[in-house]
Amino acid sequence: MPSVITITTDFGNNDAYVSCVKGVILTINPEAKVVDICHSIESQNIYQAAFILNTAYPYFPKDTIHVVIVDPGFGSQRNVVVLRTPAAFFMAPDNGVLSYILDEVCPESVIAPDSSSQSLGQKQVQGNSRAIVLTNPDYWRHPVSATFHGRDIFAPVAAHLSLGVPLDKFGETVNYLSSFQISRPYHDSKDNLIGCVLHVDKFGNLITNIKNCDFSGESVKVRIGSHLIHGLSRFYAEREGLAAIMGSSGYLEVSLTNGNASILLDVKAGEEVKLVAD
Amino acid sequence: MPSVITITTDFGNNDAYVSCVKGVILTINPEAKVVDICHSIESQNIYQAAFILNTAYPYFPKDTIHVVIVDPGFGSQRNVVVLRTPAAFFMAPDNGVLSYILDEVCPESVIAPDSSSQSLGQKQVQGNSRAIVLTNPDYWRHPVSATFHGRDIFAPVAAHLSLGVPLDKFGETVNYLSSFQISRPYHDSKDNLIGCVLHVDKFGNLITNIKNCDFSGESVKVRIGSHLIHGLSRFYAEREGLAAIMGSSGYLEVSLTNGNASILLDVKAGEEVKLVAD
Amino acid sequence: MPSVITITTDFGNNDAYVSCVKGVILTINPEAKVVDICHSIESQNIYQAAFILNTAYPYFPKDTIHVVIVDPGFGSQRNVVVLRTPAAFFMAPDNGVLSYILDEVCPESVIAPDSSSQSLGQKQVQGNSRAIVLTNPDYWRHPVSATFHGRDIFAPVAAHLSLGVPLDKFGETVNYLSSFQISRPYHDSKDNLIGCVLHVDKFGNLITNIKNCDFSGESVKVRIGSHLIHGLSRFYAEREGLAAIMGSSGYLEVSLTNGNASILLDVKAGEEVKLVAD
């Protein structure tokens, strides 16, 4: 029976919102272990939330319930869903925040365009995974506020799920979930590999979308802005100055030993990173 | 037996103070579940702490022990008290930080002026609630430092309370607690309802002191600064631009869809909000 | 059997790094109680981490496992060690971050110069304490990333240690650990006591390296910058303006009642503080 519940939100740490979610969970399941993943997601930034979730969830116990409460459309008619994968449960608004998870568990499912959204498409849930949409108000906290579904829907459903209530009780199966196109590196006409910075971490490390399987060899040349980095380092302190490293989540990172690469290079998420062809 | 202990402080997240409180609690009751409500209260701001506590405590299990460590007068002769209500235990300095709780559990008790304070009065504890002042050093951590009562008095008493030690053991009953006057909306001579912003949350939502029971109908006009908002929205994303919403804690809020109303309007806590009479 | 694990890092609160460490711990020991000490240590600042750890650990249960993940040399060849003292376990890189702990448990051990470091020396582990270096990969998470030993080495070893695995299983005894010289006050030629600010806390209190045993009497005069403070106060609110107080961790502090001494005086860690001789 699952008992760990993680929470990822854009609530920040200056209000009581996160604690309300925890209080509702503990009221229903006093034995639940609630773990914060991150509450500093930029307001309504589903891309950042999706990335952060994806770097954290693999390290939690099997069947952990990962709750993501980041949504530009809260209170509107978009669904709240639970995606059940072989590894875990993911509860989130159906707004694309589970795109990386879907990409992993349903790699062959293509994203169909959705006429109602420019940035999101629909992806079929396949294989050993399934999804339900939360429609059964028996498991919600009442009265349900219009603006704080995290407290009134997500939290009580997560708590009941952690108590072993079967997934079917919470709503109906849904075959498609919203997904954005995950940014992947590509080769340009000169055979350079063109990627981008996905995330800048606290140390100023620039985490790119380039993975080990996207290139071969360690004699790469990495261009970012006007800088060219020769070869991969194995760890941050291996050399002075800028270094390119395969980071702990499997992505190529640009870092500055004992410094902040983001500040030095004046680079933010979205910046192009190029692996220069020989 | 209560086992959840929440902590609300102005300690911030950059020092070890919060963890010291938790360490002392876990040393006495290894089974206690300690939950952070908020540690970002402005230094010594009892009004903000009182508001934050009030928006969080209703969502916790019955008999949770809510510990509030925010005090301009730490180390001075003001008392540390425990207010026991039908819902929960509240441990705090007797400095007004429990004003909202007292207002709820003792609604008929008027605040008597206190000659020693301009901002605080004395409110009688009535009904099913009672209060004690912590005077029994047997349950404190020794030596008691002059400046960190949170660690040396609050934490050990909360831990012993969570173990089921009867309230009477910790000190003597006290019939009056300090309270500030809670800011309430009022009608001006033109029958406008005049309220104010109590709190600005992380999203820039302006949470006012106007509640549902203070007005009727949804065809209200809300004036804040030079802006006039027509009608209530049901949720944040219902319309573009500025919206007035009944928020999740029961207060009227002014918000900006996918934006920050506080920044747009340059409004902080204390600003007047007016419901314009027809 | 120990079951509380504390974590002190420079990971900040905006990434998923801290949660990855917790997830790995809970995967191995679902019953572990993980408590955050602080994640706002300045990147790679071992002096600040050492100070924060030292002010927190005494308040935790006996045999708590304190994990410190702050390291300028991550991924390099420096060791990860566990120092076992009569009070607790301390797991950290062997980079000086345990200097205060070593100073306390091995007070007679002098720091031998280390030709490979200007700032660190080698200190013999003596008395009832012992240290091991983590060399047994059986207890690590695989594959071990080059850059996130906190997740792949510290977390799993701490979890297994909390399950009661004997210390010897994790590696070999090591007799010397790295330590920096702890800054201590000294008397100048005019018999003034010269100390310095070790830490500025959230309230702007200036915590110095001067302890009670370093001077006698309460009629001291404290000079900091161009200010002279006469006498010690017992607590923050005892007097208006600047005050000198023996703080809750046993160090002399300079504080400003209901204000921020650090801002008023424009003083940061490292600033000289002088107890003026009569």
Side-chain angles (χ1 to χ4, degrees), chain A residues 10-11 13-17 19-20 22-24 26-27 30 41 43-44 72 74-76 141 145-148 151, chain B residues 4 33 35-38 40 52 55-56 59-61 199-203 207 234-237 245 247-249 258:
Chain A
D10 58 357
F11 292 166
N13 292 304
N14 295 350
D15 295 294
Y17 298 134
S19 72
C20 292
K22 294 179 182 175
V24 170
L26 290 174
T27 300
I41 304 295
S43 299
Q44 291 112 19
F74 259 121
S76 62
R141 190 185 165 280
S145 71
T147 56
F148 198 176
R151 181 190 71 195
Chain B
V4 176
K33 286 179 187 295
V35 180
D36 301 304
I37 288 186
C38 183
S40 308
I52 290 284
T55 62
Y59 307 102
F60 278 84
H199 182 72
V200 179
D201 77 5
K202 184 260 191 178
F203 300 94
I207 302 171
R234 282 169 304 147
F235 50 84
Y236 297 133
I245 294 176
S248 60
S249 292
N258 291 339

Side-chain angles (χ1 to χ4, degrees), chain A residues 86-104:
Chain A
F89 298 88
F90 299 90
M91 181 182 304
D94 185 23
N95 63 7
V97 81
L98 300 181
S99 295
Y100 286 96
I101 314 295
L102 285 164
D103 183 62
E104 192 178 299

